[in-house]
Amino acid sequence: MMMPSMTMRNNPTLRILFRNSWTLGVWLLLGALVLWYSTLIPVFGPFQITSITKNSLPLVYLAIGQAIIVIAGGIDLSLGALLLLSNVIAARFMAGQPLPAVVLIALGIIAGLALLNALVGFIITLSGVPDIVVTLATGYIWSGLALWILPSPGGGTAPEMRWLFTGSPSGVGGSYWPPLLMLLIPAALVAIWSRNTQVGLSLYAVGSHKTAAQLAGLNVRQAKIVAYGIGGAMAGLAGLAMVALTGTGDPRFAIGANATLNSVAAVVLGGVALTGGVGNVFGVVATGVILIMLNPILIAMRVDSNNAQVIQGVLIAGVMMFGGLVAFLRERRS
Amino acid sequence: MSSESRVVQGRAGNARSFQRWAAENPLAVLAAVFVVLFLATSAIQPGFFSVSGVRNTLLQAAPLGILAAAQTVLMLTGGIDLSVTMIATGAAYVAANQSPGGAAIAILMGLLVGLIVGSVNGVGVAIFRVNPLIMTLAMSSILLGLFTAWTQTVLAGSTQVAPFIRLLGGGSWMGSVPYSVLVWGGVAIVLIWLLRRSGWGRLIYAIGDNETAARLAGVRVWQVRLSAYMLSGVLSAIAGILLAGRTGAVDLQLAGAFLLPSVAAAVIGGTSIFGGVGGYSGTIIGALILSVLNSLLTFLNVGQAIQQMVYGSIVLALAWGYAGLTRRS
Amino acid sequence: MKCEARCVFKSRNALHAAQLMQAPMNQPQVLLATQGVAKAYGPVVALRGVDMTVRRGEIHALLGANGAGKSTLVKILAGVQPADAGKVYIEGRTVHFHTPADAIAAGIATVFQDPALIPDLTVAHNLRLSRIDEAKFRTSLERFGLGDLDLGALVRELPLETLRIVDLARAMARDPHVLLLDEITAALTADQAERVFDLLTEWRAQGKSAVLITHRLAEVMRICDQATILRDGRNVAELVTAEVDEHQLVEAMLGASVEPLMKTAQGAMASRRLGETALEVRGLTDRHQVRDVSFAVRSGEILGLVALEGQGQDRLFDLLAGARRPVAGEIQVAGKTCHFRSPYDAVQRGVVLVPGDRLIALLPNQSVHHNLALPLFNHLRRWLRIPTDEQPRVQRAIERLSIDVRAASQVRRLSGGNQQKVVLGRWLVSGFRTLLCFDPTRGIDIQTKREIYALLRELAAQGAAIVLYTSELAEISLVCDRVLILHDGRIVDEQDAATATESSLLKAAHGLEVVA
């Protein structure tokens, strides 16, 4: 009956800020980290901006895809493997091709992976097997497929691809506009789509309360399939970004597994509850960049790379413990 | 429902009653899958159909089975542990490092690593209510960093394990029964007893099935949860020590490949990832199926790519089949 | 199965229905009809064959004791589950529902007991998801005095009674042929229920229909035209409510003439003997909902608690059971001050809770046995063994409560009444001193209700102290010794149960002064 504060209830702007306080918080954190980083190194300029942005692209894409799936009440442990698949297909078939063919291949990869993962979503709704189990299994299948397509690291891509994701045809230096736009445009599209369309909202509905969504006449199965399809498309995009960054394809299982786990970490830190239905894509974009930025910051602080890994782990666990504590205190107060 | 009417119903009735039987005894169906896979492997590799074939399968399955035991307990509570393989590796490292001081110390120190890491996981999940997926994922990352750094410093000494540990991991009792299988058997008996016949087992199922209900009934949920993560840590450490004993030496990739199979074994064995449903006997068969599948794919010599694809497909098919069977009932 | 014969028999009804539908406009027409609808869950048969006919411009009551199959029929009509056999007709056409969306599209809008609204989205988002016109929705809301509802509010922030009205308004905005209302008045205040009735009357005047599922017979008598009564998965009677009284309705539901509830309860009442103070609270205060509550209950006493929906009673029970911590005030158990930090502490002191929503108290996938024995393992020292007397204790509880153990391997397969017994039985197994019982008879059939009341009297006679919140005012005087009335988080009145009347309780519950 009683709301925590009446001002919050009556003032729409305040309410929106309050409801998105976590998203706001992670963006402020990102801003603070960038500022801090700029004082840590002698020169902070376009080169660093380009570098941070382009290096974050694969994880950010993957995390956006994961966020959409988690919001719809699922979780996809095969996203990393799909990234591998996209990466090796691009590396194997793009090198030396004319621009139209490259574009066609890129679009084909995105559409193909979207369909493939939509099929996985369909299998999940059909079989009644938990998402985590199905995607665990399909993760094996996709990494096997990736290994089959490109048995050892190699291949290449077109300069135009590299320019699109890194700002330079050679992948070194270059303008920060292309990667920055490639970061923000897909993120904004997915974020706006998910909060402002009937289908987008139905993902939240299904993740928040599946039974209620069904009883209200929503198509639960369709929502899940769409979510997985988007996840697949984002993984395809992530694989393309990867090939643009490194200039080659790499089918190693561990890369995929790590990417998956990082995407889950980014999603959770970004304020998307693993139970579904809560959070938004914007927060995840910030945490994706933060996770990538930790590396250069720790290097700039001359922290050993193994310790950097420890710090990253402690940070994730620490933030989540803090979140748990806040939730606990809030629950006790109300 | 009388047996007479069943006979009259004829063929369709038989199919249906088989289905019902299968739904009520999913473990028997799983066991049949195992036998079929075993026979298939024997058909490809004639030497496999022998005592040594069985022995090899069990030997391969033991560490996986123990890691999957940790996973089963946690999944029953509605949790999961993605750090089992790093705990195993860490415990193996410590055991190797302590090996010059004797096997007993080495094993104890190894188990202590499992207990400590498990406790930290448990505190994070049970008290700070961090999502188990995230907590153990972060823990895995922390352990990887720590042990990579420590191999150059505090753990720089021995990477060979004591002879007794090697015997435990790779040797056989009277030349026929591997010691690691005996250890696994011991773990299995204790765990099955705990889950079925102890108050603790009841509570594990209870908090996994409905945490609020358990809390309202006066269960101190955090204690149960913490104990489950501690047990999971210790079990992972046991598996790590056995693995180190089998290979004789330790390295950072010692257990890594077992992470996903440990979850898969529990899932195939019918333990629900949402908690409250399942048990360890199913997991044992799940671990056996996965290890015989591994042998099969190795004998087929199809290359890693095809191996991964087939492995994934079979895990999916089994999980799907299990869900289909039990949902009908 | 004797299906062949039954179906032939049924088709006569269908013919009858078809004739009705072809009747001229001024005759009552059949809008919704079911014929031989059957459903089984594994070995448990829920519906054996139901024929129901809802005419245009009619408010139709669907009645039955618990386990009679009402909720199953609702699920089938709402498209939540398919029927195993039988047909559903809308305006004479056969319809097949695979999902709730199908039923909505066919013109059946259902308001379930749990509002089908998405908690993490705003009301406006929810409307958008259902493609509801906001203006139309607002018009309905205004009728309930909720015209100023902020559509930007998250559903989870709104109180239950508001949500039920939002859900109802949404259903009406869908412009269905038939409204299916499952216990619609359960969470509403008397005032709101009144408005629902007004609206339904209008609805009927527009030539539309509604099916009302309810346990409140007074409502049936007041607003419904027809009543279909289910018993044991079949429709056993179709009554015109104007021609019968409540007693006849109950008789039809139970199948035999009912001995009044009174007898059972009063028999036990005669032997009451009050002992020491078992539980005493002083100045108990929660942040928002409970204000300065003080009372004491003695062993052997049943203390009733009466309140309208949402007056802080849930919160008060949570505080007493240790599920939440108070901001101020103290709780004394047997004279000793206690600080409950968790339900464990309360259970240790013998203060145990039977919560209002039985689903939050059950382990759905565990057996009846494991559910009943759960509190036996609360101590660390019980972790490694199972007490030898577990089996007999559980068995005694099952017998004492006469729990139906046919589907005992998983509690979720039991009927609502049996589940409620399991929740209660848990504390018989472990033992307790003070029982906090929150609306234990909500949504439960008369037979089980009677059993539960008799059990409570019996427990009190054996020296237990019981605090009973109930939403059924008529039954307060049968079970309780004393009644406290809670309004806006405060105890506003105390009445002797023997002299309290429904109207005196209701007045006090509305915060009005009662003149003795």
Side-chain angles (χ1 to χ4, degrees):
Chain A
M1 301 274 274
M2 296 275 186
M3 288 296 106
S5 91
M6 294 311 281
T7 49
M8 185 202 96
R9 201 177 178 184
N10 296 336
N11 184 327
T13 325
L14 272 181
R15 184 166 65 189
I16 287 170
L17 285 183
F18 183 81
R19 267 186 209 156
N20 296 297
S21 50
W22 189 275
T23 310
L24 211 63
V26 289
W27 276 99
L28 287 178
L29 182 64
L30 176 60
L33 279 178
V34 171
L35 276 181
W36 187 35
Y37 182 51
S38 69
T39 64
L40 278 175
I41 51 173
V43 199
F44 182 82
F47 181 84
Q48 279 72 24
I49 299 179
T50 312
S51 154
I52 292 172
T53 330
K54 72 180 183 189
N55 283 317
S56 337
L57 282 179
L59 177 56
V60 168
Y61 289 151
L62 216 57
I64 292 174
Q66 190 72 270
I68 288 294
I69 293 171
V70 170
I71 284 170
I75 187 167
D76 192 340
L77 297 188
S78 73
L79 279 191
L82 284 171
L83 175 148
L84 288 187
L85 196 56
S86 153
N87 179 264
V88 299
I89 295 174
R92 169 129 185 228
F93 299 107
M94 272 183 182
Q97 296 288 334
L99 185 61
V102 168
V103 171
L104 222 61
I105 292 171
L107 292 179
I109 288 174
I110 294 174
L113 292 198
L115 281 177
L116 203 60
N117 218 36
L119 179 70
V120 172
F122 176 69
I123 288 176
I124 291 169
T125 58
L126 186 71
S127 65
V129 178
D131 305 60
I132 197 167
V133 177
V134 172
T135 56
L136 186 76
T138 54
Y140 275 107
I141 302 176
W142 308 146
S143 14
L145 202 57
L147 199 60
W148 184 67
I149 291 172
L150 192 73
S152 58
T157 183
E160 293 86 354
M161 276 297 287
R162 305 204 71 171
W163 177 83
L164 184 63
F165 289 102
T166 68
S168 126
S170 63
V172 185
S175 158
Y176 55 76
W177 282 112
L180 203 58
L181 289 179
M182 282 308 286
L183 181 85
L184 293 178
I185 292 173
L189 284 181
V190 176
I192 292 169
W193 171 84
S194 66
R195 291 301 288 182
N196 292 288
T197 62
Q198 223 248 345
V199 180
L201 285 173
S202 76
L203 303 189
Y204 278 89
V206 168
S208 169
H209 198 322
K210 192 171 156 189
T211 326
Q214 200 155 22
L215 294 182
L218 298 183
N219 189 336
V220 172
R221 179 174 283 191
Q222 176 203 305
K224 202 135 200 189
I225 293 172
V226 167
Y228 275 87
I230 291 172
M234 292 312 289
L237 207 53
L240 293 178
M242 196 85 152
V243 81
L245 266 177
T246 60
T248 58
D250 191 338
R252 274 177 301 162
F253 186 81
I255 296 178
N258 256 335
T260 305
L261 298 181
N262 279 334
S263 76
V264 176
V267 159
V268 174
L269 293 177
V272 175
L274 281 181
T275 41
V278 180
N280 71 55
V281 166
F282 278 125
V284 170
V285 173
T287 46
V289 178
I290 290 174
L291 284 179
I292 294 297
M293 256 193 82
L294 282 181
N295 256 331
I297 288 182
L298 292 169
I299 288 169
M301 292 173 70
R302 287 165 220 246
V303 175
D304 174 74
S305 73
N306 293 320
N307 291 339
Q309 176 135 34
V310 176
I311 289 173
Q312 187 175 336
V314 170
L315 216 68
I316 294 175
V319 169
M320 295 317 293
M321 284 190 182
F322 175 74
L325 209 61
V326 169
F328 176 69
L329 292 176
R330 198 183 275 177
E331 214 168 278
R332 264 185 63 181
R333 286 181 55 136
S334 71
Chain B
M1 297 304 143
S2 71
S3 61
E4 229 171 295
S5 71
R6 231 183 250 159
V7 176
V8 181
Q9 277 164 0
R11 229 182 182 165
N14 278 341
R16 185 166 300 167
S17 66
F18 171 75
Q19 226 169 32
R20 183 172 300 167
W21 174 83
E24 280 161 10
N25 303 284
L27 289 192
V29 179
L30 273 182
V33 170
F34 169 68
V35 170
V36 168
L37 278 174
F38 190 83
L39 292 178
T41 314
S42 310
I44 291 157
Q45 189 78 9
F48 196 72
F49 191 75
S50 65
V51 173
S52 82
V54 177
R55 207 182 84 190
N56 261 334
T57 307
L58 286 173
L59 195 62
Q60 296 292 331
L64 173 60
I66 296 174
L67 285 176
Q71 218 65 266
T72 306
V73 171
L74 290 184
M75 277 167 57
L76 284 176
T77 67
I80 195 167
D81 191 345
L82 297 185
S83 64
V84 284
T85 49
M86 273 319 299
I87 297 178
T89 308
Y93 252 99
V94 171
N97 188 256
Q98 298 291 318
S99 276
I105 297 288
I107 292 176
L108 273 180
M109 294 303 281
L111 295 182
L112 191 65
V113 170
L115 189 66
I116 292 171
V117 179
S119 309
V120 177
N121 276 336
V123 167
V125 174
I127 297 174
F128 287 92
R129 299 201 249 170
V130 179
N131 184 296
L133 208 64
I134 297 302
M135 184 67 212
T136 57
L137 173 64
M139 178 54 76
S140 185
S141 161
I142 293 170
L143 291 179
L144 180 61
L146 279 183
F147 280 100
T148 317
W150 285 349
T151 48
Q152 270 105 55
T153 56
V154 286
L155 291 176
S158 161
T159 59
Q160 304 290 311
V161 292
F164 177 71
I165 297 181
R166 223 173 301 163
L167 183 73
L168 213 54
S172 292
W173 180 59
M174 310 214 326
S176 54
V177 185
Y179 283 108
S180 65
V181 174
L182 290 180
V183 173
W184 184 22
V187 166
I189 290 169
V190 170
L191 195 60
I192 291 176
W193 179 83
L194 275 175
L195 287 176
R196 289 199 188 156
R197 295 262 173 271
S198 78
W200 180 80
R202 295 280 185 83
L203 298 180
I204 289 285
Y205 281 94
I207 67 171
D209 206 6
N210 186 350
E211 183 177 334
T212 314
R215 206 171 94 84
L216 288 178
V219 176
R220 280 171 295 183
V221 175
W222 67 272
Q223 288 180 348
V224 184
R225 198 149 272 178
L226 178 60
S227 70
Y229 279 88
M230 286 162 73
L231 180 68
S232 163
V234 172
L235 287 171
S236 310
I238 295 175
I241 292 170
L242 288 182
L243 270 174
R246 197 164 80 194
T247 51
V250 289
D251 67 276
L252 282 170
Q253 266 75 51
L254 184 71
F258 285 98
L259 178 56
L260 300 185
S262 74
V263 177
V267 167
I268 291 173
T271 297
S272 161
I273 206 144
F274 302 125
V277 178
Y280 188 51
S281 15
T283 306
I284 294 175
I285 306 179
L288 287 173
I289 288 178
L290 290 184
S291 60
V292 78
L293 186 61
N294 239 339
S295 308
L296 177 66
L297 292 172
T298 314
F299 288 137
L300 280 173
N301 203 15
V302 288
Q304 219 196 332
I306 307 282
Q307 264 192 41
Q308 281 181 11
M309 284 190 262
V310 173
Y311 196 84
S313 311
I314 295 213
V315 168
L316 179 60
L318 286 175
W320 194 341
Y322 199 101
L325 264 186
T326 46
R327 205 163 35 158
R328 225 180 289 279
S329 67
Chain C
M1 288 294 256
K2 295 176 284 182
C3 178
E4 294 295 314
R6 282 192 67 83
C7 292
V8 173
F9 171 70
K10 295 292 179 219
S11 63
R12 229 174 34 203
N13 275 356
L15 199 66
H16 176 61
Q19 282 166 350
L20 276 170
M21 265 166 299
Q22 282 149 11
M25 282 304 287
N26 56 355
Q27 291 287 309
Q29 288 174 296
V30 172
L31 201 52
L32 169 73
T34 69
Q35 180 206 332
V37 169
K39 176 85 189 172
Y41 302 98
V44 182
V45 180
L47 289 181
R48 292 169 201 279
V50 172
D51 303 327
M52 184 172 79
T53 317
V54 179
R55 291 166 193 82
R56 204 178 286 283
E58 170 181 287
I59 298 182
H60 196 106
L62 182 61
L63 304 175
N66 264 73
K70 293 187 308 278
S71 40
T72 308
L73 186 60
V74 170
K75 281 180 189 158
I76 289 169
L77 290 178
V80 178
Q81 292 171 341
D84 294 342
K87 286 185 172 157
V88 177
Y89 302 94
I90 291 180
E91 293 188 311
R93 278 188 302 276
T94 315
V95 286
H96 297 281
F97 301 149
H98 300 286
T99 63
D102 293 343
I104 293 168
I108 300 184
T110 311
V111 179
F112 297 93
Q113 283 194 49
D114 298 315
L117 296 161
I118 309 301
D120 292 313
L121 293 177
T122 63
V123 176
H125 278 152
N126 271 283
L127 294 179
R128 176 138 189 211
L129 274 172
S130 310
R131 300 177 204 273
I132 300 288
D133 179 32
E134 236 174 65
K136 206 167 171 187
F137 172 77
R138 268 218 185 277
T139 336
S140 313
L141 270 194
E142 273 159 18
R143 298 294 313 275
F144 290 106
L146 282 175
D148 60 341
L149 182 76
D150 176 9
L151 298 189
L154 285 183
V155 164
R156 67 160 72 257
E157 291 167 352
L158 297 173
L160 180 63
E161 63 262 32
T162 308
L163 294 183
R164 299 215 69 183
I165 287 174
V166 167
D167 209 5
L168 176 61
R170 179 176 67 171
M172 289 179 137
R174 290 185 200 273
D175 225 354
H177 300 302
V178 184
L179 270 174
L180 209 57
L181 307 175
D182 194 354
E183 296 283 355
I184 184 70
T185 54
L188 302 187
T189 60
D191 173 49
Q192 287 167 326
E194 209 55 45
R195 291 179 196 228
V196 172
F197 296 151
D198 286 350
L199 221 63
L200 281 179
T201 319
E202 254 172 61
W203 184 257
R204 169 170 58 190
Q206 292 167 18
K208 295 172 178 176
S209 310
V211 177
L212 222 59
I213 295 94
T214 180
H215 280 289
R216 300 183 179 181
L217 299 182
E219 285 174 8
V220 176
M221 299 309 294
R222 230 193 93 185
I223 186 164
C224 297
D225 309 306
Q226 294 271 326
T228 293
I229 292 171
L230 298 187
R231 187 167 74 225
D232 201 18
R234 278 183 237 278
N235 51 313
V236 290
E238 166 126 347
L239 304 170
V240 178
T241 49
E243 295 166 4
V244 294
D245 63 12
E246 286 182 40
H247 195 70
Q248 284 166 294
L249 286 179
V250 174
E251 260 178 40
M253 277 157 64
L254 292 184
S257 82
V258 205
E259 69 182 279
L261 200 51
M262 200 75 83
K263 255 182 208 163
T264 349
Q266 280 185 339
M269 197 102 117
S271 63
R272 71 182 167 139
R273 200 176 60 241
L274 299 190
E276 301 288 302
T277 299
L279 176 76
E280 180 165 9
V281 297
R282 291 205 196 111
L284 205 60
T285 301
D286 175 64
R287 199 160 291 269
H288 301 299
Q289 303 185 359
V290 177
R291 298 154 210 256
D292 194 21
V293 167
S294 305
F295 66 85
V297 56
R298 298 163 69 180
S299 68
E301 182 181 35
I302 299 185
L303 178 63
L305 188 71
V306 164
L308 303 176
E309 275 308 308
Q311 302 301 312
Q313 60 269 47
D314 331 38
R315 202 53 75 94
L316 176 60
F317 270 65
D318 280 352
L319 295 178
L320 295 177
R324 282 173 189 276
R325 293 184 215 189
V327 183
E330 65 172 12
I331 300 175
Q332 288 191 347
V333 176
K336 273 188 224 139
T337 304
C338 305
H339 299 282
F340 296 153
R341 279 165 306 161
S342 69
Y344 170 80
D345 292 334
V347 172
Q348 283 319 100
R349 300 286 188 149
V351 179
V352 303
L353 172 70
V354 173
D357 178 2
R358 52 188 168 262
L359 292 184
I360 69 166
L362 288 171
L363 310 174
N365 291 302
Q366 311 301 317
S367 65
V368 167
H369 183 116
H370 285 196
N371 267 280
L372 287 172
L374 183 59
L376 291 179
F377 307 104
N378 287 341
H379 286 286
L380 274 175
R381 63 187 146 83
R382 289 276 181 80
W383 275 20
L384 287 185
R385 61 191 186 86
I386 288 178
T388 45
D389 61 345
E390 186 208 13
Q391 185 63 39
R393 278 183 184 215
V394 167
Q395 202 49 48
R396 271 203 301 278
I398 289 176
E399 277 159 19
R400 185 160 179 195
L401 286 162
S402 53
I403 297 173
D404 181 353
V405 289
R406 273 175 306 173
S409 67
Q410 280 182 328
V411 158
R412 66 192 161 98
R413 297 192 195 170
L414 298 185
S415 70
N418 270 307
Q419 289 182 341
Q420 187 67 59
K421 287 179 182 174
V422 170
V423 178
L424 247 170
R426 176 175 292 164
W427 302 119
L428 299 188
V429 171
S430 71
F432 64 90
R433 290 203 191 83
T434 306
L435 180 67
L436 309 167
C437 236
F438 196 93
D439 220 359
T441 55
R442 174 186 284 185
I444 276 187
D445 65 276
I446 292 184
Q447 180 59 33
T448 312
K449 216 179 248 182
R450 190 189 306 159
E451 286 172 23
I452 286 177
Y453 285 142
L455 177 75
L456 292 181
R457 286 291 357 158
E458 200 182 311
L459 289 170
Q462 289 166 4
I466 296 175
V467 182
L468 171 72
Y469 167 77
T470 176
S471 53
E472 319 231 6
L473 299 185
E475 282 149 27
I476 277 277
S477 58
L478 306 181
V479 208
C480 300
D481 300 310
R482 243 178 345 127
V483 199
L484 300 177
I485 293 96
L486 196 68
H487 177 75
D488 198 17
R490 292 174 203 280
I491 292 191
V492 291
D493 194 17
E494 177 179 334
Q495 300 183 9
D496 186 352
T499 57
T501 63
E502 226 171 309
S503 87
S504 75
L505 289 170
L506 208 55
K507 275 181 191 155
H510 277 96
L512 305 172
E513 293 287 328
V514 184
V515 189

